[in-house]
Amino acid sequence: MRADVITATGELQASLRAALTSDMLITDADEMLRFCRDWHGDVSSSAVAVLRPRSTEDVAAAVCTCRDLGLSIVPQGGNTGLVLGGIPDQPGSQVIVSLERMNAIRNIDPDDFSAVVEAGCILSEVKDAVAKMDMFFPLALGAQGSCRIGGNVSTNAGGINVLRYGMTRELVLGLEVVLPDGTIFNGLSTLRKDNRGIDLKQIFIGAEGTLGIVTAVSIKLMPFPDQVATALLGLNSLDDAITLYRRARRDCCDLMSAFEFMPPLGFVLAREAIPDLPMPIAGDYPAYVLMEVSGSGLVDIQELMERFLGGVMEDGLVVDGVIAASQTQARNLWLIREGMNEGQARRGPHMRTDISVPLSRLADFVRDAEQAVSEALPDCISVSYGHVGDGNVHLNVLPPGGTAPEEAAARIYTAKCVVNRVLDGYSGSISAEHGIGRLKRADFEQRLEPSRRALLTALKQAIDPSLMMNPGCQLNFPKLS
Amino acid sequence: MRADVITATGELQASLRAALTSDMLITDADEMLRFCRDWHGDVSSSAVAVLRPRSTEDVAAAVCTCRDLGLSIVPQGGNTGLVLGGIPDQPGSQVIVSLERMNAIRNIDPDDFSAVVEAGCILSEVKDAVAKMDMFFPLALGAQGSCRIGGNVSTNAGGINVLRYGMTRELVLGLEVVLPDGTIFNGLSTLRKDNRGIDLKQIFIGAEGTLGIVTAVSIKLMPFPDQVATALLGLNSLDDAITLYRRARRDCCDLMSAFEFMPPLGFVLAREAIPDLPMPIAGDYPAYVLMEVSGSGLVDIQELMERFLGGVMEDGLVVDGVIAASQTQARNLWLIREGMNEGQARRGPHMRTDISVPLSRLADFVRDAEQAVSEALPDCISVSYGHVGDGNVHLNVLPPGGTAPEEAAARIYTAKCVVNRVLDGYSGSISAEHGIGRLKRADFEQRLEPSRRALLTALKQAIDPSLMMNPGCQLNFPKLS
């Protein structure tokens, strides 16, 4: 870093120190590192400072101080995002506001099927706390032991239970947000139905901190599903998997909670990550489905799963299948799904996507995109898996083992362009659940319709006219003259 | 009307006629009447004209023409709203844009569990069309034979199935909207998951046409629930009804689709409206619940309802109950709920509310509010009923029979003030599902927090700076200088 930049940063840090309680402030580069490096470890950055408020009022004070100093703010939860939405890209003028110390569960009301939690609560801790009261918060994703609920809201996180319970948006009853002018938007209601005009909380969900800082959330709870049936199924094709999904929606009514598609390569990758992982199905099928049906109360979930599988196997839609006989067996089935992710990471840098298309076009899309990749990059391998029920597929591309980093980077870039080109013909989304952040900003902007861009710009300028909230994330906005 | 107003209106009508296809335009006062009178028949107004576009382009042209003439627009669907959101209040400068001729079902894709319908489609026609493909659109409300889907979206309509399927918001996948500047926002995607930044469609849902005109909607479909079990239950109190709801959520998992609370007076009112209505439960219980469990496929819904009722009757939570043995019997049970509404209307003008409170405080609220009403208005009768599972109660107050209109109006006003005062102590909502419109604007504004008002104003000025879209609805905004 140049000497004048260091001086400027030092002066800004001194000003922050003078204005805020020192307990809130981190300026040491080593201490800041974990906040400035992304989840995959692909990107490291830095910041003027990291602020760790303990209360909503602290956040408001931090916002006002930053505004006075001309600093912009990158809000951060558990820093588990996959699109660099919480990582500074202008280190000389950006401050990270980490919500990790605002981690109180303010209230759980099982009689009201609701809870109020602070933005810094770790997702799995919220899930555990409500489970003790026999309640359930259905948001479930790989990072749940590290991600924080404010980040889940700001990225409108998805995960494996979306097909039954919806994205984070559908689980939010209310929000508390510190706005760019330092005022506090208090919308922490737990009302299930409240139709008093425009629902303002919606604009902050999925905004990735570009309109304000989410400090607390009212969430919906459900009765804890004490019955879970998990099955791993072998099928003849992705087309059959989609047909199976449609039939499962009807046959299992609304009780299906997960339906994940995996290719045979998934097992190979999972074994690479977890060598002693038991493989519960013999044989090698072109397609696999990991399916979960769950519920509380009087419906016999195990029997429902057995009857469903009996029918679809008789009809030849499912060739082979196993239902977990214990929680351990169910856990092992999910380990295949998780190990598959880790196995990809072990093969080195690779191209990851997070795509959605209409369900009725999913199989065609995967076929076309994999074909296009194999033509453009004959030495790379495609691996497509994901939340089929939501039309959400992670079509990833792995360069061959031992590819030099710069060659891998070139292949990753080519693969992304090839896949996105096919996707554009399917009216699909380049971000089904991960958000835009900084990683997908260019691809997002490139596909943005003028009317949508105009509305987003108007909204940004109305709420954050000085463009201080997470600049560089989602869109580059023009400064108001 | 004064002569100069008549002339001005005549000139405006002539200008509209010159600019738009004459087929779109209604200016005859008699022909305009049905668009200018509200659903209850309480309010009649007029307008410069009624425009009935046949296409999205027609709507855009209408918006541009009105803007050029300095006219504002009151968008209207089926004109079944309960809060005067679609009725002009400045007849000399407002034009009604009725969507009733934009009523094409553009596409139904059962393989994708989605459909695209124009804003003017009547709700029941959409439900019927998808049912022919064995699919289900769950929005269900009293006005479904007349209301139109664009109005449902613009008011974020609720109804009897919200506890399972959510408000209209949760059933919308995408929107097409004509914006106040005449541009078309094309967001008619059917993707289930699309996390590309801020979800702009959310700001138009529930905006009651104050930010633009919804012209088409992509909606979620579900498998048709071919099994429905309906029961009418007699209980000892509203508290027991709430306990029963909590237990039903757990025992019946996510398969409960309606849970309506009714007081004994409901039966009297229903009989006044439908004298030969069969009364399926003998005796007179302090509280009644109309409950529905439904589903498709392999779960035996009838058996689930029987087992559930067996358990709760054994525990004394339900004193008496009947499960409909046929569709006709089920229909008759619902007729009690519907007749209760009609019976109130027959008793003359009365105070209607649409309140929500946290479920855990619902019974206390109803007790306190009814007590306060009986103290303030000892000759009036309170009747509280509604969608208990959503914390949504319609606490209505009926003046005694034969009360003179102006005395009734005074009692209605008093009753509203008394109930709202109690509600304010419960952090409740004055509009759980009906919206704000013009009827509740004053009560809404009076309770509006400054940070919320500031955000709503910023949003309005960003999207509709000339304040031409449905002025007077929801909020009176300050003109930009």
Side-chain angles (χ1 to χ4, degrees), chain B residues 46-182:
Chain B
S46 69
V48 174
V50 175
L51 303 182
R52 292 192 299 160
R54 289 187 188 277
S55 68
T56 308
E57 291 68 33
D58 279 356
V59 174
V63 167
C64 292
T65 301
C66 288
R67 193 190 49 207
D68 292 346
L69 295 172
L71 289 167
S72 54
I73 286 176
V74 178
Q76 193 179 91
N79 195 15
T80 63
L82 299 173
V83 291
L84 309 179
I87 301 294
D89 56 356
Q90 299 156 37
S93 63
Q94 290 175 338
V95 165
I96 293 173
V97 173
S98 165
L99 280 295
E100 69 180 16
R101 297 205 296 198
M102 277 191 70
N103 60 356
I105 292 178
R106 292 193 190 162
N107 187 43
I108 302 175
D109 185 348
D111 285 347
D112 191 44
F113 297 94
S114 71
V116 179
V117 300
E118 290 185 346
C121 288
I122 288 179
L123 174 55
S124 63
E125 291 175 3
V126 172
K127 291 169 75 81
D128 291 347
V130 303
K132 280 185 193 140
M133 297 185 181
D134 215 12
M135 303 302 282
F136 181 57
F137 183 58
L139 188 62
L141 49 152
Q144 66 190 34
S146 313
C147 65
R148 295 174 193 267
I149 196 82
N152 298 141
V153 169
S154 294
T155 58
N156 187 26
I160 55 169
N161 287 345
V162 172
L163 68 110
R164 175 146 165 199
Y165 300 102
M167 306 281 280
T168 302
R169 183 183 305 281
E170 293 180 60
L171 304 172
V172 172
L173 291 170
L175 289 184
E176 179 186 85
V177 183
V178 173
L179 300 174
D181 65 0

Side-chain angles (χ1 to χ4, degrees), chain A residues 309-388:
Chain A
L309 286 190
V312 291
M313 290 180 81
E314 199 175 300
D315 296 348
L317 197 53
V318 169
V319 188
D320 195 3
V322 57
I323 303 179
S326 66
Q327 285 196 348
T328 307
Q329 279 188 19
R331 184 80 205 101
N332 281 336
L333 296 184
W334 279 106
L335 271 181
I336 301 172
R337 172 72 170 80
E338 290 158 26
M340 182 176 62
N341 275 354
E342 205 182 318
Q344 291 175 70
R346 289 183 180 218
R347 290 213 179 174
H350 57 281
M351 196 273 291
R352 290 180 291 268
T353 65
D354 169 36
I355 281 167
S356 63
V357 293
L359 181 61
S360 50
R361 307 192 71 193
L362 183 62
D364 286 342
F365 165 73
V366 170
R367 229 180 332 258
D368 284 357
E370 290 194 348
Q371 173 72 21
V373 168
S374 84
E375 280 165 18
L377 298 163
D379 64 350
C380 293
I381 297 170
S382 293
V383 48
S384 301
Y385 60 99
H387 321 296
V388 164

